Amino acid sequence: MSSKVVVLDIDDVLTITREKVYEAMRAASGKDIHWQHWSEYDLRPRFEMTHEDIMDVFNSHDIINQVDPEPDAAPFINLCRDAGYRVVALTARGWHPDADLHTWAYFERYQLKVDELHICTPVECKSDYIRQLGNIHLYVDDHLRHIMNVREKTDNVRHLVLMDRPWNQTEEPIERVFQLSECQRFL
C-alpha cells in the first residue's frame, strides 16, 4: 500500500491539550486529579459531570484556543510536507460550535501547515472519515478507541500509531510513540 497521506489527531498529538483540560476541570469541579493519573479517556466518571457539562467547561475555558502546540508539531508537519505527504488533521473537536474557524486560526497562528482539516464530534468514529481518504501512510492519535476502530473497520492505513498517554494504556500490540518526532521512522 503506497500513499502520500499522513493523518494526525490534534488534541494531545499536535497540541498539549491535557494541561489546559486538567486546569479547567480542576477549577470547575474542585477535584485535583492530574492528567498523569487519568487511566481512561472518559472524564465523566472521574469528575462526576455529564458530557454536556464537560463541553461547557471546555468552551468556558476556551480550551480550543488556549492550548500550546507540541514542540515538535510544526517541524514534523513540515518534514511530512517536504517529503511529499499531504497532511490531514482529523479531530473530534465537534464539541465547539466554531471548531473549524478556531482550528484554522490556531494553525495559522502557530504555523501548523496542514493541508486539510476534518472535524467530527466526540461520539463519531474517525474510521468513517479514514475510509474516505483512500490509502493512508500514517495515522497518529492519542485515543485508543479511534485507533482500534480504524484497525478493525478499515484496511487502508499502513502505519497506525498511538501517542503514548496515561489514558490509553493497553496490552494490545500497538505501535506507540511519546512524541511526534519519533514518527519519522514511519515515513
Side-chain angles (χ1 to χ4, degrees):
M1 182 185 316
S2 69
S3 178
K4 293 299 249 182
V5 178
V6 170
V7 178
L8 304 170
D9 178 37
I10 296 175
D11 296 301
D12 288 314
V13 173
L14 293 176
T15 66
I16 308 169
T17 306
R18 55 202 174 272
E19 283 295 333
K20 295 297 182 185
V21 169
Y22 158 67
E23 292 167 9
M25 295 305 294
R26 183 183 66 200
S29 72
K31 294 183 179 195
D32 189 3
I33 308 169
H34 195 270
W35 64 264
Q36 292 174 330
H37 302 288
W38 296 353
S39 59
E40 62 200 25
Y41 195 80
D42 190 354
L43 299 176
R44 292 173 301 175
R46 184 175 309 110
F47 291 99
E48 298 175 354
M49 293 178 151
T50 66
H51 176 75
E52 291 76 19
D53 291 338
I54 292 169
M55 297 304 98
D56 287 344
V57 170
F58 284 16
N59 285 317
S60 67
H61 284 83
D62 199 25
I63 297 287
I64 202 165
N65 291 305
Q66 296 303 315
V67 297
D68 293 319
E70 288 284 353
D72 58 351
F76 183 72
I77 290 169
N78 293 338
L79 176 74
C80 292
R81 290 176 51 108
D82 290 347
Y85 290 93
R86 188 172 101 231
V87 178
V88 176
L90 175 58
T91 182
R93 288 181 162 196
W95 49 266
H96 192 285
D98 296 313
D100 188 78
L101 177 72
H102 286 276
T103 303
W104 277 118
Y106 181 89
F107 287 163
E108 186 174 319
R109 185 168 57 250
Y110 289 103
Q111 306 218 347
L112 301 176
K113 298 177 182 177
V114 302
D115 298 296
E116 186 177 329
L117 169 64
H118 180 76
I119 297 172
C120 59
T121 67
V123 295
E124 288 179 293
C125 290
K126 289 183 180 179
S127 60
D128 294 338
Y129 183 70
I130 293 281
R131 273 196 300 271
Q132 298 172 25
L133 282 174
N135 290 336
I136 297 169
H137 186 76
L138 172 66
Y139 170 50
V140 184
D141 205 309
D142 70 301
H143 194 319
L144 182 61
R145 179 178 64 97
H146 292 305
I147 291 288
M148 297 307 290
N149 280 338
V150 168
R151 178 192 273 179
E152 293 166 9
K153 297 179 180 180
T154 70
D155 62 357
N156 60 321
V157 180
R158 184 168 183 190
H159 299 286
L160 278 172
V161 178
L162 187 63
M163 190 66 72
D164 199 303
R165 302 286 184 239
W167 54 85
N168 64 25
Q169 301 305 301
T170 180
E171 296 297 317
E172 287 286 331
I174 298 172
E175 286 284 349
R176 290 176 171 271
V177 295
F178 292 96
Q179 54 191 19
L180 267 178
S181 59
E182 294 176 59
C183 290
Q184 292 180 41
R185 71 180 190 254
F186 301 109
L187 299 180

